[in-house]
Amino acid sequence: MSLRERFRSGGSRSEQPERDESRGKAKPANPSGDGNGKGNGRSAAGALNDRSSGLKARIHRRMVERINLANLDSIEPEMLRAQIGHIINALVTEENIPLSEPQRVALEQEVLNETFGLGPIEPLLHDPDVSDILVNTHNQVYIERFGQLELTDVRFDDDAHLMKMIDRIVSRIGRRVDESSPMVDARLQDGSRVNAIIPPLALDGPILSIRRFGVRTLALGDLLELDSISPGMAELLKGAVRARLNMLISGGTGSGKTTLLNALSAFIPAEERIVTIEDAAELQLLQPHIVRLETRPPNIEGKGEITQRELVRNALRMRPDRIVVGEVRGHEVLDMLQAMNTGHDGSLTTVHANNPRDALHRLETLMLLSGVNLPPTAMREQISAALDVIVHVARLSDGTRRVVEVSEIVGMEREVVAMQEIFTFKKTGVSEDGKVLGRYEATGIRPKFADRLEVSGVSVSASLFHEGQVI
C-alpha cells in the first residue's frame, strides 16, 4: 500500500517489537504511559480534559487539509511523521488552547496514532509485556500482562471510532467486516492474530480481540529459561522432530501451542521443503525452503472461499517433505491424517483440547464433520497410524504456560487408541504469592519410538525414562 493510501486510510503502524513470553509475577497496572507503550493507558501527565476528542478531530481534519497528498509517496515514513508533528504543533498554537508541554506531546502522539496506527490502543501494541488486547465495545479495554487480565483506562470515542480502526485492520489484508459479514479473522503486520465481531451479532457494540505475536520467535532455549518445558522433554521432542515423527500439540486457548510449534519446527533440517497452512498466517519458521499458504474467506457475493482442506489437498501436489498445519479445526483433519499416512512423515499440527485423550476425541469429531461416512474403528485406526506423539500444553492458574504431558500413541487395543504417558508435570501446590509449584517427572515408560530415534541417529539417554526421575 502506498503512503498516500496509508494516509487516507490511516496508514499502517510501525513494525512491532517482539512479544515477551515471560510469565513471571504480574506487574501492577501502570496508568502513566509515556505515549510509547510504557504503561497500560494514555499518559497521566499528558491527559487532556473532555475537549480532547473534539480537539484531536479538529486538528486531524485541518492537518489533512494542509497536507499535499500528491507528495506523500515520495516522503520516507519517518520523515513524514516528523513533518506532520511540526504541523500539529503549529495547529495547536493556532487553536490558542493553553496546553502544558506534556499535554502537547500527548496530543501530538494521539493524533499520530489516529493517522498512522490504531488510535487509542496503539501504545499497547508497543508494550512488550502485553500479550492480549481485548476491546469490549468502545469504552472498555482489557489487556493480558504476564498471564493476568487488567482493565486499562484506554477508551475509544464511540463505536464509530472503534469500527474505523477495525476496518483499517481488515482492509489491509483484503478482508471486510459489515452487517452482511459481521465476523472476521485477520492479522497485523507483525503476525498478531485479530478477531472482530460487530452488531448485530455483538449486542453491545463492536468487539475486537488481538492476540499479540512477536517478530522474533521464541526458541526452545527460551522456553527452557522460562521453565515452560524441562530439559528432558526438550531433548526428547527435539529428537522426535529430527526423526520425522508425526506430532500433535494440544492445549486450550492461549496455552502456547503455536509458540511451541514454532520452537520445535526449528529442528526441521534446512534442506527439507516445508509447506505451512494456516487460517491466519502467524507461523514464523526460519528455514530457507518454506512455502506459506493461507485460507481465503468468501467475497461480498459469498464466492471465492478457499478452505484449509483445499490447501492441504493442494499441498500434496507441491512435493512437500513436511506439512505444518497451524491448527486443525474442521474438514481438513481427514486430509491431514491421510498425508501423515502417505509418506509425509514429520508433519506437525495443533488442536484445541483439554488433555491428550480429549484431543483424540476431538479429531474423531472433526473427521465426522468432514462428511465421510467412516465407522468409529476405521477413524481411530487412521488416527493411531498417523500420529506418533501428543504434546499437551496448558496455561496454569498463575498465568504460566507449561508443557504438562508428553504421550506416545502405541496403536490400537481392540476399538480404542492406545496411548502411554512418558513425561508429566506434577503439580505440588501453590505458593503464598499464587505461583504454581511442581516438577517435571518421567513415568518410567520407555517410548516405543526410542528405537526409531536411535536408527535416525538421535541419541537419548535411557536414564531419562526412569520412573520418578526429575527431568
Side-chain angles (χ1 to χ4, degrees), residues 12-273:
S12 63
R13 61 185 177 84
S14 58
E15 186 179 33
Q16 302 304 314
E18 66 193 56
R19 173 181 174 181
D20 187 350
E21 290 285 345
S22 61
R23 292 292 183 262
K25 184 176 180 180
K27 296 181 181 177
N30 176 16
S32 56
D34 62 0
N36 292 319
K38 305 301 183 183
N40 70 343
R42 293 190 178 98
S43 169
L48 304 177
N49 55 27
D50 293 337
R51 295 173 296 174
S52 175
S53 295
L55 181 60
K56 279 193 302 179
R58 290 201 307 276
I59 290 178
H60 189 271
R61 183 173 60 253
R62 294 184 61 187
M63 183 179 65
V64 172
E65 293 172 355
R66 290 195 178 193
I67 289 291
N68 185 355
L69 296 177
N71 295 331
L72 288 182
D73 289 345
S74 61
I75 304 176
E76 291 294 327
E78 290 305 316
M79 183 179 298
L80 181 62
R81 291 176 70 94
Q83 291 181 4
I84 290 177
H86 293 315
I87 294 174
I88 292 173
N89 282 329
L91 291 174
V92 169
T93 302
E94 290 178 14
E95 288 281 341
N96 198 25
I97 296 176
L99 294 176
S100 66
E101 185 59 27
Q103 288 176 330
R104 184 186 296 269
V105 171
L107 177 62
E108 178 182 339
Q109 187 63 46
E110 289 183 14
V111 174
L112 287 172
N113 288 341
E114 289 291 327
T115 304
F116 293 97
L118 297 182
I121 63 173
E122 184 69 17
L124 302 178
L125 293 166
H126 292 274
D127 187 340
D129 293 335
V130 174
S131 56
D132 288 271
I133 302 171
L134 309 173
V135 183
N136 304 332
T137 70
H138 72 275
N139 59 1
Q140 188 182 70
V141 178
Y142 280 88
I143 61 171
E144 180 184 300
R145 194 197 304 270
F146 300 106
Q148 304 296 325
L149 288 177
E150 303 174 13
L151 177 64
T152 73
D153 61 351
V154 174
R155 301 289 184 272
F156 288 85
D157 296 338
D158 50 34
D159 284 347
H161 187 201
L162 175 54
M163 278 300 305
K164 177 183 176 182
M165 296 302 142
I166 293 174
D167 286 333
R168 183 174 294 175
I169 293 172
V170 301
S171 62
R172 290 173 186 162
I173 61 171
R175 301 193 177 185
R176 65 186 180 88
V177 59
D178 50 39
E179 287 189 4
S180 63
S181 180
M183 294 188 299
V184 66
D185 287 315
R187 68 179 185 277
L188 300 179
Q189 288 185 336
D190 66 345
S192 298
R193 285 180 286 181
V194 177
N195 176 268
I197 182 167
I198 67 173
L201 299 186
L203 299 181
D204 299 321
I207 308 296
L208 176 66
S209 305
I210 300 177
R211 172 71 55 80
R212 296 287 308 285
F213 202 79
V215 173
R216 183 183 69 87
T217 302
L218 292 181
L220 202 58
D222 299 317
L223 299 182
L224 284 168
E225 290 181 7
L226 297 171
D227 201 27
S228 293
I229 190 172
S230 72
M233 286 179 174
E235 181 183 353
L236 183 69
L237 295 181
K238 180 170 63 175
V241 173
R242 289 176 172 168
R244 301 182 65 88
L245 300 185
N246 292 323
M247 192 177 302
L248 176 69
I249 300 173
S250 64
T253 300
S255 57
K257 299 186 297 298
T258 304
T259 299
L260 180 61
L261 178 60
N262 267 314
L264 293 178
S265 67
F267 299 100
I268 298 176
E271 61 271 15
E272 295 188 7
R273 177 176 171 87

Side-chain angles (χ1 to χ4, degrees), residues 297-339:
N299 59 24
I300 194 170
E301 298 175 349
K303 301 178 181 179
E305 180 182 14
I306 304 296
T307 65
Q308 280 200 128
R309 184 173 193 180
E310 293 173 280
L311 292 180
V312 171
R313 288 179 175 178
N314 188 79
L316 298 177
R317 306 184 184 101
M318 299 174 68
R319 200 260 174 219
D321 289 307
R322 305 201 193 207
I323 297 176
V324 179
V325 179
E327 180 185 341
V328 289
R329 62 180 75 185
H331 303 168
E332 70 277 358
V333 64
L334 186 59
D335 299 280
M336 181 69 205
L337 292 174
Q338 288 178 336

Side-chain angles (χ1 to χ4, degrees), residues 360-398:
L360 299 182
H361 294 326
R362 180 161 167 76
L363 293 181
E364 285 187 52
T365 302
L366 294 177
M367 292 175 72
L368 290 173
L369 293 176
S370 67
V372 178
N373 188 18
L374 289 175
T377 302
M379 289 190 294
R380 291 165 191 163
E381 288 176 348
Q382 183 92 299
I383 293 171
S384 66
L387 296 176
D388 299 303
V389 183
I390 297 181
V391 183
H392 187 70
V393 295
R395 180 168 60 175
L396 305 183
S397 59
D398 60 354

